[in-house]
Amino acid sequence: MQAAGQPWTIQVVPTPFHPLAPQTPTSANPGQSEATTSSATVVLPDQYTETYVPRLVFLKIENQPFSITENALRLSSQFRAMLDSTHIGEPGEGTEEHPITLNGVTSFEMESFLTILSARVWAGPPDLTEDGWAAALHIATMYSFRDIRNYIIKYIDDKKFYNPVRLIEMASKSNVPKWIQPAYLSLCMKPEVITPEEAARLGFPIYTALCRIREQVLKKGLSGVMQKGR
């Protein structure tokens, strides 16, 4: 957990042993430096002999500071368009002194999103709660991080850990239509009644529609039982 007042920072920094660093055949060129691993000699261009410091863009959400590398922000089509524009707002906007304020999202959503953004490259899916994955999906959808959004949706599809009502809420909030029909079907076919709490979360129009379908299913089931008993 970040200390209060300290911005969250996500950085991917090429180092001599970074798997994405350029690799070329061994050379005796004195203008190059060498770094040896257990399996091969990696010759690094001069620009990789010094620590690469990526440009950070500073954000503020619910009065909490965050920072993220420009390269990571460019994974979003919305942020990419903003960064490429000739004018993104006040002078110095996006610096630590003048962070970009984001509305319509929460600090928890951004924390969850940055956790996935970092962990998916190095450690695989992070150990987030169900709320954390839903929160990250909202950020990825809202700001058009297409690849990360697809990654989150696939993970949720594979895990299948959301109940139907929660899945309907997420599908509506983050525009994932393919989740809605199976979730409705699950609610219609479950043996237990839809609870008042579930009805409130679904909303009255959806709740009444599901009740009508459940009633039809029940009638068909009873009709079949009665015919078999004759």
Side-chain angles (χ1 to χ4, degrees):
M1 184 63 66
Q2 294 289 113
Q6 294 296 317
W8 280 68
T9 303
I10 297 295
Q11 299 187 29
V12 179
V13 182
T15 67
F17 299 100
H18 192 289
L20 300 182
Q23 298 185 17
T24 57
T26 304
S27 169
N29 188 339
Q32 294 178 320
S33 59
E34 295 186 358
T36 303
T37 66
S38 59
S39 60
T41 298
V42 180
V43 180
L44 304 172
D46 289 339
Q47 62 265 35
Y48 283 89
T49 60
E50 297 182 359
T51 301
Y52 168 63
V53 180
R55 178 186 173 226
L56 293 178
V57 178
F58 289 82
L59 312 172
K60 185 168 70 173
I61 302 173
E62 295 182 330
N63 211 35
Q64 180 176 339
F66 293 87
S67 62
I68 181 171
T69 64
E70 180 179 336
N71 286 344
L73 272 186
R74 286 184 174 277
L75 296 174
S76 156
S77 59
Q78 289 191 31
F79 280 112
R80 187 165 60 248
M82 181 191 72
L83 292 168
D84 289 340
S85 67
T86 56
H87 179 69
I88 63 172
E90 299 177 0
E93 186 174 10
T95 63
E96 190 169 8
E97 294 76 17
H98 301 285
I100 299 171
T101 299
L102 300 182
N103 299 312
V105 295
T106 67
S107 57
F108 172 72
E109 289 174 332
M110 181 57 76
E111 289 171 8
S112 301
F113 174 78
L114 293 181
T115 298
I116 293 175
L117 178 64
S118 176
R120 79 186 186 108
V121 176
W122 306 112
D127 186 20
L128 288 180
T129 64
E130 293 183 14
D131 286 343
W133 283 95
L137 178 59
H138 182 221
I139 291 283
T141 300
M142 187 169 185
Y143 292 107
S144 302
F145 286 93
R146 185 184 63 181
D147 290 345
I148 301 173
R149 170 183 154 85
N150 291 339
Y151 172 84
I152 295 171
I153 290 174
K154 183 180 185 306
Y155 179 84
I156 292 173
D157 285 342
D158 292 343
K159 291 299 180 181
K160 304 184 187 304
F161 49 36
Y162 290 100
N163 65 56
V165 175
R166 186 73 173 101
L167 208 56
I168 291 169
E169 291 175 330
M170 292 167 54
S172 300
K173 186 174 185 178
S174 297
N175 190 28
V176 190
K178 70 174 183 176
W179 288 345
I180 295 179
Q181 186 173 350
Y184 283 165
L185 182 61
S186 295
L187 288 173
C188 290
M189 301 303 294
K190 73 171 187 170
E192 305 85 6
V193 299
I194 298 175
T195 67
E197 187 266 342
E198 289 175 332
R201 290 167 60 186
L202 291 168
F204 185 73
I206 293 176
Y207 169 67
T208 54
L210 291 176
C211 285
R212 286 195 298 270
I213 296 173
R214 284 172 61 86
E215 183 179 359
Q216 293 171 4
V217 170
L218 180 60
K219 286 180 179 179
K220 288 182 180 179
L222 289 176
S223 176
V225 170
M226 291 175 67
Q227 290 177 1
K228 289 181 180 179
R230 290 177 180 176

PDB file of all heavy atoms in Angstrom, residues 60-89:
ATOM      1  N   LYS A  60      -4.454  13.013 -10.802  1.00  0.00           N
ATOM      2  CA  LYS A  60      -5.051  13.172  -9.476  1.00  0.00           C
ATOM      3  C   LYS A  60      -6.488  12.689  -9.531  1.00  0.00           C
ATOM      4  O   LYS A  60      -7.274  13.116 -10.374  1.00  0.00           O
ATOM      5  CB  LYS A  60      -5.001  14.632  -9.017  1.00  0.00           C
ATOM      6  CG  LYS A  60      -5.514  14.816  -7.577  1.00  0.00           C
ATOM      7  CD  LYS A  60      -5.184  16.192  -7.024  1.00  0.00           C
ATOM      8  CE  LYS A  60      -5.988  17.277  -7.699  1.00  0.00           C
ATOM      9  NZ  LYS A  60      -5.791  18.597  -7.049  1.00  0.00           N
ATOM     10  N   ILE A  61      -6.813  11.763  -8.621  1.00  0.00           N
ATOM     11  CA  ILE A  61      -8.164  11.204  -8.528  1.00  0.00           C
ATOM     12  C   ILE A  61      -8.592  11.248  -7.073  1.00  0.00           C
ATOM     13  O   ILE A  61      -7.890  10.725  -6.203  1.00  0.00           O
ATOM     14  CB  ILE A  61      -8.203   9.755  -9.042  1.00  0.00           C
ATOM     15  CG1 ILE A  61      -7.720   9.694 -10.493  1.00  0.00           C
ATOM     16  CG2 ILE A  61      -9.611   9.176  -8.915  1.00  0.00           C
ATOM     17  CD1 ILE A  61      -7.560   8.279 -11.017  1.00  0.00           C
ATOM     18  N   GLU A  62      -9.726  11.868  -6.816  1.00  0.00           N
ATOM     19  CA  GLU A  62     -10.225  12.013  -5.446  1.00  0.00           C
ATOM     20  C   GLU A  62      -9.151  12.572  -4.521  1.00  0.00           C
ATOM     21  O   GLU A  62      -8.953  12.124  -3.401  1.00  0.00           O
ATOM     22  CB  GLU A  62     -10.727  10.669  -4.921  1.00  0.00           C
ATOM     23  CG  GLU A  62     -11.927  10.119  -5.663  1.00  0.00           C
ATOM     24  CD  GLU A  62     -12.448   8.817  -5.103  1.00  0.00           C
ATOM     25  OE1 GLU A  62     -11.632   8.038  -4.557  1.00  0.00           O
ATOM     26  OE2 GLU A  62     -13.664   8.560  -5.199  1.00  0.00           O
ATOM     27  N   ASN A  63      -8.410  13.529  -5.045  1.00  0.00           N
ATOM     28  CA  ASN A  63      -7.351  14.217  -4.312  1.00  0.00           C
ATOM     29  C   ASN A  63      -6.160  13.323  -3.978  1.00  0.00           C
ATOM     30  O   ASN A  63      -5.313  13.686  -3.158  1.00  0.00           O
ATOM     31  CB  ASN A  63      -7.892  14.843  -3.015  1.00  0.00           C
ATOM     32  CG  ASN A  63      -7.143  16.099  -2.637  1.00  0.00           C
ATOM     33  OD1 ASN A  63      -6.708  16.869  -3.503  1.00  0.00           O
ATOM     34  ND2 ASN A  63      -6.952  16.321  -1.343  1.00  0.00           N
ATOM     35  N   GLN A  64      -6.077  12.155  -4.592  1.00  0.00           N
ATOM     36  CA  GLN A  64      -4.938  11.259  -4.400  1.00  0.00           C
ATOM     37  C   GLN A  64      -4.064  11.299  -5.640  1.00  0.00           C
ATOM     38  O   GLN A  64      -4.557  11.162  -6.753  1.00  0.00           O
ATOM     39  CB  GLN A  64      -5.388   9.827  -4.133  1.00  0.00           C
ATOM     40  CG  GLN A  64      -4.219   8.852  -3.936  1.00  0.00           C
ATOM     41  CD  GLN A  64      -4.682   7.462  -3.567  1.00  0.00           C
ATOM     42  OE1 GLN A  64      -5.794   7.272  -3.079  1.00  0.00           O
ATOM     43  NE2 GLN A  64      -3.840   6.457  -3.794  1.00  0.00           N
ATOM     44  N   PRO A  65      -2.751  11.484  -5.463  1.00  0.00           N
ATOM     45  CA  PRO A  65      -1.863  11.578  -6.623  1.00  0.00           C
ATOM     46  C   PRO A  65      -1.487  10.196  -7.162  1.00  0.00           C
ATOM     47  O   PRO A  65      -1.319   9.235  -6.408  1.00  0.00           O
ATOM     48  CB  PRO A  65      -0.628  12.286  -6.063  1.00  0.00           C
ATOM     49  CG  PRO A  65      -0.604  11.913  -4.613  1.00  0.00           C
ATOM     50  CD  PRO A  65      -2.045  11.762  -4.189  1.00  0.00           C
ATOM     51  N   PHE A  66      -1.349  10.112  -8.469  1.00  0.00           N
ATOM     52  CA  PHE A  66      -0.870   8.915  -9.155  1.00  0.00           C
ATOM     53  C   PHE A  66       0.128   9.361 -10.208  1.00  0.00           C
ATOM     54  O   PHE A  66       0.039  10.481 -10.713  1.00  0.00           O
ATOM     55  CB  PHE A  66      -2.012   8.170  -9.857  1.00  0.00           C
ATOM     56  CG  PHE A  66      -3.032   7.564  -8.942  1.00  0.00           C
ATOM     57  CD1 PHE A  66      -4.114   8.320  -8.499  1.00  0.00           C
ATOM     58  CD2 PHE A  66      -2.923   6.248  -8.522  1.00  0.00           C
ATOM     59  CE1 PHE A  66      -5.070   7.762  -7.657  1.00  0.00           C
ATOM     60  CE2 PHE A  66      -3.877   5.694  -7.685  1.00  0.00           C
ATOM     61  CZ  PHE A  66      -4.947   6.441  -7.245  1.00  0.00           C
ATOM     62  N   SER A  67       1.055   8.494 -10.549  1.00  0.00           N
ATOM     63  CA  SER A  67       1.926   8.773 -11.696  1.00  0.00           C
ATOM     64  C   SER A  67       2.100   7.507 -12.501  1.00  0.00           C
ATOM     65  O   SER A  67       2.141   6.397 -11.967  1.00  0.00           O
ATOM     66  CB  SER A  67       3.290   9.306 -11.241  1.00  0.00           C
ATOM     67  OG  SER A  67       3.972   8.344 -10.457  1.00  0.00           O
ATOM     68  N   ILE A  68       2.192   7.676 -13.813  1.00  0.00           N
ATOM     69  CA  ILE A  68       2.283   6.553 -14.735  1.00  0.00           C
ATOM     70  C   ILE A  68       3.154   6.992 -15.903  1.00  0.00           C
ATOM     71  O   ILE A  68       3.157   8.165 -16.279  1.00  0.00           O
ATOM     72  CB  ILE A  68       0.872   6.127 -15.208  1.00  0.00           C
ATOM     73  CG1 ILE A  68       0.932   4.928 -16.155  1.00  0.00           C
ATOM     74  CG2 ILE A  68       0.144   7.281 -15.868  1.00  0.00           C
ATOM     75  CD1 ILE A  68      -0.448   4.350 -16.475  1.00  0.00           C
ATOM     76  N   THR A  69       3.936   6.079 -16.439  1.00  0.00           N
ATOM     77  CA  THR A  69       4.806   6.465 -17.535  1.00  0.00           C
ATOM     78  C   THR A  69       3.995   6.840 -18.770  1.00  0.00           C
ATOM     79  O   THR A  69       2.898   6.319 -18.992  1.00  0.00           O
ATOM     80  CB  THR A  69       5.777   5.326 -17.907  1.00  0.00           C
ATOM     81  OG1 THR A  69       5.026   4.221 -18.394  1.00  0.00           O
ATOM     82  CG2 THR A  69       6.611   4.898 -16.721  1.00  0.00           C
ATOM     83  N   GLU A  70       4.561   7.718 -19.560  1.00  0.00           N
ATOM     84  CA  GLU A  70       3.876   8.129 -20.787  1.00  0.00           C
ATOM     85  C   GLU A  70       3.661   6.933 -21.709  1.00  0.00           C
ATOM     86  O   GLU A  70       2.606   6.808 -22.343  1.00  0.00           O
ATOM     87  CB  GLU A  70       4.696   9.198 -21.512  1.00  0.00           C
ATOM     88  CG  GLU A  70       4.039   9.675 -22.804  1.00  0.00           C
ATOM     89  CD  GLU A  70       4.835  10.751 -23.522  1.00  0.00           C
ATOM     90  OE1 GLU A  70       5.626  11.459 -22.858  1.00  0.00           O
ATOM     91  OE2 GLU A  70       4.653  10.876 -24.748  1.00  0.00           O
ATOM     92  N   ASN A  71       4.650   6.032 -21.782  1.00  0.00           N
ATOM     93  CA  ASN A  71       4.498   4.860 -22.640  1.00  0.00           C
ATOM     94  C   ASN A  71       3.312   4.007 -22.215  1.00  0.00           C
ATOM     95  O   ASN A  71       2.581   3.466 -23.061  1.00  0.00           O
ATOM     96  CB  ASN A  71       5.772   4.019 -22.617  1.00  0.00           C
ATOM     97  CG  ASN A  71       6.895   4.654 -23.416  1.00  0.00           C
ATOM     98  OD1 ASN A  71       6.656   5.544 -24.222  1.00  0.00           O
ATOM     99  ND2 ASN A  71       8.112   4.201 -23.190  1.00  0.00           N
ATOM    100  N   ALA A  72       3.101   3.866 -20.909  1.00  0.00           N
ATOM    101  CA  ALA A  72       1.959   3.082 -20.424  1.00  0.00           C
ATOM    102  C   ALA A  72       0.652   3.794 -20.752  1.00  0.00           C
ATOM    103  O   ALA A  72      -0.338   3.156 -21.139  1.00  0.00           O
ATOM    104  CB  ALA A  72       2.083   2.852 -18.921  1.00  0.00           C
ATOM    105  N   LEU A  73       0.635   5.116 -20.615  1.00  0.00           N
ATOM    106  CA  LEU A  73      -0.574   5.876 -20.942  1.00  0.00           C
ATOM    107  C   LEU A  73      -0.923   5.749 -22.422  1.00  0.00           C
ATOM    108  O   LEU A  73      -2.098   5.780 -22.795  1.00  0.00           O
ATOM    109  CB  LEU A  73      -0.393   7.357 -20.587  1.00  0.00           C
ATOM    110  CG  LEU A  73      -0.738   7.798 -19.170  1.00  0.00           C
ATOM    111  CD1 LEU A  73      -0.644   9.318 -19.071  1.00  0.00           C
ATOM    112  CD2 LEU A  73      -2.132   7.339 -18.762  1.00  0.00           C
ATOM    113  N   ARG A  74       0.087   5.594 -23.256  1.00  0.00           N
ATOM    114  CA  ARG A  74      -0.156   5.494 -24.689  1.00  0.00           C
ATOM    115  C   ARG A  74      -0.817   4.178 -25.093  1.00  0.00           C
ATOM    116  O   ARG A  74      -1.210   3.998 -26.242  1.00  0.00           O
ATOM    117  CB  ARG A  74       1.150   5.688 -25.461  1.00  0.00           C
ATOM    118  CG  ARG A  74       1.617   7.144 -25.485  1.00  0.00           C
ATOM    119  CD  ARG A  74       2.851   7.343 -26.340  1.00  0.00           C
ATOM    120  NE  ARG A  74       3.180   8.756 -26.444  1.00  0.00           N
ATOM    121  CZ  ARG A  74       2.617   9.599 -27.306  1.00  0.00           C
ATOM    122  NH1 ARG A  74       1.703   9.143 -28.153  1.00  0.00           N
ATOM    123  NH2 ARG A  74       2.946  10.863 -27.338  1.00  0.00           N
ATOM    124  N   LEU A  75      -0.949   3.251 -24.141  1.00  0.00           N
ATOM    125  CA  LEU A  75      -1.744   2.055 -24.401  1.00  0.00           C
ATOM    126  C   LEU A  75      -3.222   2.401 -24.508  1.00  0.00           C
ATOM    127  O   LEU A  75      -4.015   1.605 -25.003  1.00  0.00           O
ATOM    128  CB  LEU A  75      -1.532   1.032 -23.282  1.00  0.00           C
ATOM    129  CG  LEU A  75      -0.117   0.469 -23.143  1.00  0.00           C
ATOM    130  CD1 LEU A  75      -0.033  -0.414 -21.905  1.00  0.00           C
ATOM    131  CD2 LEU A  75       0.284  -0.304 -24.387  1.00  0.00           C
ATOM    132  N   SER A  76      -3.589   3.587 -24.039  1.00  0.00           N
ATOM    133  CA  SER A  76      -4.959   4.085 -24.133  1.00  0.00           C
ATOM    134  C   SER A  76      -5.095   4.985 -25.348  1.00  0.00           C
ATOM    135  O   SER A  76      -4.322   5.942 -25.508  1.00  0.00           O
ATOM    136  CB  SER A  76      -5.321   4.875 -22.865  1.00  0.00           C
ATOM    137  OG  SER A  76      -6.358   5.798 -23.107  1.00  0.00           O
ATOM    138  N   SER A  77      -6.081   4.708 -26.192  1.00  0.00           N
ATOM    139  CA  SER A  77      -6.269   5.558 -27.375  1.00  0.00           C
ATOM    140  C   SER A  77      -6.669   6.977 -26.970  1.00  0.00           C
ATOM    141  O   SER A  77      -6.299   7.948 -27.632  1.00  0.00           O
ATOM    142  CB  SER A  77      -7.319   4.955 -28.297  1.00  0.00           C
ATOM    143  OG  SER A  77      -8.568   4.814 -27.629  1.00  0.00           O
ATOM    144  N   GLN A  78      -7.403   7.114 -25.884  1.00  0.00           N
ATOM    145  CA  GLN A  78      -7.817   8.447 -25.427  1.00  0.00           C
ATOM    146  C   GLN A  78      -6.617   9.250 -24.935  1.00  0.00           C
ATOM    147  O   GLN A  78      -6.433  10.413 -25.310  1.00  0.00           O
ATOM    148  CB  GLN A  78      -8.858   8.328 -24.319  1.00  0.00           C
ATOM    149  CG  GLN A  78     -10.213   7.850 -24.789  1.00  0.00           C
ATOM    150  CD  GLN A  78     -11.279   8.003 -23.725  1.00  0.00           C
ATOM    151  OE1 GLN A  78     -11.233   8.908 -22.897  1.00  0.00           O
ATOM    152  NE2 GLN A  78     -12.255   7.115 -23.744  1.00  0.00           N
ATOM    153  N   PHE A  79      -5.797   8.644 -24.080  1.00  0.00           N
ATOM    154  CA  PHE A  79      -4.627   9.361 -23.577  1.00  0.00           C
ATOM    155  C   PHE A  79      -3.621   9.597 -24.694  1.00  0.00           C
ATOM    156  O   PHE A  79      -2.936  10.628 -24.707  1.00  0.00           O
ATOM    157  CB  PHE A  79      -3.976   8.588 -22.426  1.00  0.00           C
ATOM    158  CG  PHE A  79      -4.666   8.779 -21.108  1.00  0.00           C
ATOM    159  CD1 PHE A  79      -5.344   7.733 -20.508  1.00  0.00           C
ATOM    160  CD2 PHE A  79      -4.646  10.006 -20.466  1.00  0.00           C
ATOM    161  CE1 PHE A  79      -5.989   7.900 -19.292  1.00  0.00           C
ATOM    162  CE2 PHE A  79      -5.286  10.185 -19.244  1.00  0.00           C
ATOM    163  CZ  PHE A  79      -5.956   9.130 -18.650  1.00  0.00           C
ATOM    164  N   ARG A  80      -3.503   8.668 -25.622  1.00  0.00           N
ATOM    165  CA  ARG A  80      -2.567   8.844 -26.729  1.00  0.00           C
ATOM    166  C   ARG A  80      -2.944  10.058 -27.557  1.00  0.00           C
ATOM    167  O   ARG A  80      -2.075  10.860 -27.948  1.00  0.00           O
ATOM    168  CB  ARG A  80      -2.549   7.578 -27.581  1.00  0.00           C
ATOM    169  CG  ARG A  80      -1.488   7.590 -28.674  1.00  0.00           C
ATOM    170  CD  ARG A  80      -1.265   6.193 -29.249  1.00  0.00           C
ATOM    171  NE  ARG A  80      -2.471   5.640 -29.843  1.00  0.00           N
ATOM    172  CZ  ARG A  80      -3.139   4.603 -29.346  1.00  0.00           C
ATOM    173  NH1 ARG A  80      -2.739   4.017 -28.236  1.00  0.00           N
ATOM    174  NH2 ARG A  80      -4.219   4.137 -29.960  1.00  0.00           N
ATOM    175  N   ALA A  81      -4.233  10.226 -27.823  1.00  0.00           N
ATOM    176  CA  ALA A  81      -4.689  11.388 -28.583  1.00  0.00           C
ATOM    177  C   ALA A  81      -4.417  12.676 -27.815  1.00  0.00           C
ATOM    178  O   ALA A  81      -4.029  13.694 -28.402  1.00  0.00           O
ATOM    179  CB  ALA A  81      -6.176  11.257 -28.889  1.00  0.00           C
ATOM    180  N   MET A  82      -4.610  12.621 -26.504  1.00  0.00           N
ATOM    181  CA  MET A  82      -4.375  13.802 -25.689  1.00  0.00           C
ATOM    182  C   MET A  82      -2.893  14.172 -25.671  1.00  0.00           C
ATOM    183  O   MET A  82      -2.518  15.333 -25.837  1.00  0.00           O
ATOM    184  CB  MET A  82      -4.850  13.560 -24.260  1.00  0.00           C
ATOM    185  CG  MET A  82      -4.657  14.748 -23.331  1.00  0.00           C
ATOM    186  SD  MET A  82      -4.932  14.316 -21.597  1.00  0.00           S
ATOM    187  CE  MET A  82      -3.468  13.331 -21.268  1.00  0.00           C
ATOM    188  N   LEU A  83      -2.027  13.170 -25.513  1.00  0.00           N
ATOM    189  CA  LEU A  83      -0.589  13.431 -25.456  1.00  0.00           C
ATOM    190  C   LEU A  83      -0.041  13.926 -26.782  1.00  0.00           C
ATOM    191  O   LEU A  83       0.940  14.668 -26.815  1.00  0.00           O
ATOM    192  CB  LEU A  83       0.145  12.156 -25.019  1.00  0.00           C
ATOM    193  CG  LEU A  83      -0.106  11.700 -23.574  1.00  0.00           C
ATOM    194  CD1 LEU A  83       0.442  10.292 -23.363  1.00  0.00           C
ATOM    195  CD2 LEU A  83       0.512  12.665 -22.586  1.00  0.00           C
ATOM    196  N   ASP A  84      -0.672  13.505 -27.879  1.00  0.00           N
ATOM    197  CA  ASP A  84      -0.202  13.928 -29.202  1.00  0.00           C
ATOM    198  C   ASP A  84      -0.764  15.273 -29.637  1.00  0.00           C
ATOM    199  O   ASP A  84      -0.339  15.827 -30.648  1.00  0.00           O
ATOM    200  CB  ASP A  84      -0.576  12.874 -30.254  1.00  0.00           C
ATOM    201  CG  ASP A  84       0.247  11.599 -30.112  1.00  0.00           C
ATOM    202  OD1 ASP A  84       1.317  11.668 -29.487  1.00  0.00           O
ATOM    203  OD2 ASP A  84      -0.199  10.552 -30.621  1.00  0.00           O
ATOM    204  N   SER A  85      -1.728  15.790 -28.891  1.00  0.00           N
ATOM    205  CA  SER A  85      -2.314  17.079 -29.262  1.00  0.00           C
ATOM    206  C   SER A  85      -1.342  18.202 -28.917  1.00  0.00           C
ATOM    207  O   SER A  85      -0.480  18.063 -28.056  1.00  0.00           O
ATOM    208  CB  SER A  85      -3.649  17.292 -28.543  1.00  0.00           C
ATOM    209  OG  SER A  85      -3.447  17.437 -27.151  1.00  0.00           O
ATOM    210  N   THR A  86      -1.500  19.324 -29.601  1.00  0.00           N
ATOM    211  CA  THR A  86      -0.605  20.457 -29.364  1.00  0.00           C
ATOM    212  C   THR A  86      -0.934  21.191 -28.074  1.00  0.00           C
ATOM    213  O   THR A  86      -0.137  21.964 -27.570  1.00  0.00           O
ATOM    214  CB  THR A  86      -0.680  21.450 -30.535  1.00  0.00           C
ATOM    215  OG1 THR A  86      -2.056  21.859 -30.707  1.00  0.00           O
ATOM    216  CG2 THR A  86      -0.188  20.793 -31.811  1.00  0.00           C
ATOM    217  N   HIS A  87      -2.121  20.958 -27.550  1.00  0.00           N
ATOM    218  CA  HIS A  87      -2.518  21.646 -26.327  1.00  0.00           C
ATOM    219  C   HIS A  87      -3.391  20.722 -25.490  1.00  0.00           C
ATOM    220  O   HIS A  87      -4.452  20.291 -25.925  1.00  0.00           O
ATOM    221  CB  HIS A  87      -3.301  22.919 -26.655  1.00  0.00           C
ATOM    222  CG  HIS A  87      -3.754  23.675 -25.431  1.00  0.00           C
ATOM    223  ND1 HIS A  87      -2.875  24.327 -24.605  1.00  0.00           N
ATOM    224  CD2 HIS A  87      -4.991  23.868 -24.905  1.00  0.00           C
ATOM    225  CE1 HIS A  87      -3.550  24.906 -23.619  1.00  0.00           C
ATOM    226  NE2 HIS A  87      -4.830  24.635 -23.773  1.00  0.00           N
ATOM    227  N   ILE A  88      -2.922  20.344 -24.319  1.00  0.00           N
ATOM    228  CA  ILE A  88      -3.690  19.432 -23.472  1.00  0.00           C
ATOM    229  C   ILE A  88      -4.276  20.129 -22.249  1.00  0.00           C
ATOM    230  O   ILE A  88      -4.783  19.485 -21.358  1.00  0.00           O
ATOM    231  CB  ILE A  88      -2.826  18.240 -23.013  1.00  0.00           C
ATOM    232  CG1 ILE A  88      -1.656  18.711 -22.132  1.00  0.00           C
ATOM    233  CG2 ILE A  88      -2.327  17.440 -24.175  1.00  0.00           C
ATOM    234  CD1 ILE A  88      -0.889  17.552 -21.491  1.00  0.00           C
ATOM    235  N   GLY A  89      -4.205  21.449 -22.208  1.00  0.00           N
ATOM    236  CA  GLY A  89      -4.782  22.140 -21.059  1.00  0.00           C
ATOM    237  C   GLY A  89      -3.855  23.237 -20.571  1.00  0.00           C
ATOM    238  O   GLY A  89      -3.194  23.912 -21.352  1.00  0.00           O
TER     239      GLY A  89
END
